[in-house]
Amino acid sequence: ETPADPPGFQHPPERIDQAPRPVIGRIQGAALGGGAGPIAVCDIAVCSAEATIGCPEVRLGLVPGVISPYVVRKIGESHARQLFLTGERINADEAFRLGLVHRVVGGDEAALDAAVQECVDQLMNVSPEGAERAKALVHNLSGKSGETARRAARKAIADARASDDGREGTAAFLEKRKP
């Protein structure tokens, strides 16, 4: 919240980041400034080979304040420094190399749509509860290491095993059938 924000206001990247269900980003064209933030919080980001991404705020004497925590978390401090300080635009292949996007798709819009649909189809084959728990686990482990991370992971698997979906999934696996 900033002084100009109403109480309880969440910036769009935060809302996407905190969404319990998986979020797939479809990136096409230019995603500059605030447009880079949503990419950094998508669980799966599929990008057109022609897309460009950047944080040009510094060219205007500004900083990418709202999106910076998400971009830094996604690509690391070193890469964020370069992008934030230079204001440069990067192409889709560089965004992939940095870990900002997960997949780069060449071709037309139909090819991009097909790649996004593949991701949707993959997610349709997982337990919704399991996906929510997995996403929460990643958030919970972020910034943790050692015994703290191991404890959090053990608790997550114990809670998942005790859930209805976890019990059904385990039974189905042992019985060699689909849950």
Side-chain angles (χ1 to χ4, degrees):
E1 256 178 53
T2 65
D5 292 333
F9 177 80
Q10 282 188 309
H11 292 280
E14 184 179 357
R15 292 184 62 147
I16 296 168
D17 190 48
Q18 298 302 316
R21 296 285 171 100
V23 175
I24 300 170
R26 180 187 183 279
I27 298 92
Q28 180 181 16
L32 304 172
I39 297 169
V41 293
C42 287
D43 299 304
I44 302 168
V46 181
C47 185
S48 163
E50 291 77 36
T52 57
I53 301 167
C55 300
E57 292 90 343
V58 70
R59 294 178 182 190
L60 303 174
L62 302 173
V63 297
V66 172
I67 66 167
S68 61
Y70 310 104
V71 175
V72 171
R73 182 180 71 195
K74 186 81 173 248
I75 67 172
E77 183 180 337
S78 178
H79 293 302
R81 281 182 189 216
Q82 179 185 0
L83 288 179
F84 291 178
L85 290 171
T86 64
E88 72 180 291
R89 294 179 182 199
I90 59 172
N91 64 30
D93 290 332
E94 181 69 1
F96 177 79
R97 189 186 73 74
L98 297 179
L100 189 57
V101 300
H102 302 99
R103 187 169 173 188
V104 176
V105 179
D108 60 7
E109 256 188 84
L112 183 59
D113 289 341
V116 170
Q117 187 60 51
E118 285 177 29
C119 295
V120 170
D121 293 344
Q122 289 172 337
L123 289 172
M124 295 302 291
N125 288 315
V126 303
S127 154
E129 184 179 308
E132 285 184 25
R133 288 177 182 278
K135 185 172 178 173
L137 174 63
V138 171
H139 276 288
N140 193 20
L141 292 177
S142 183
K144 294 180 181 169
S145 63
E147 186 55 33
T148 303
R150 287 188 291 277
R151 253 193 323 272
R154 285 193 299 266
K155 180 175 179 354
I157 190 62
D159 291 347
R161 285 182 183 138
S163 73
D164 290 342
D165 276 14
R167 286 192 307 271
E168 168 56 21
T170 301
F173 175 78
L174 294 173
E175 296 167 11
K176 299 184 189 306
R177 61 174 174 81
K178 284 189 141 198

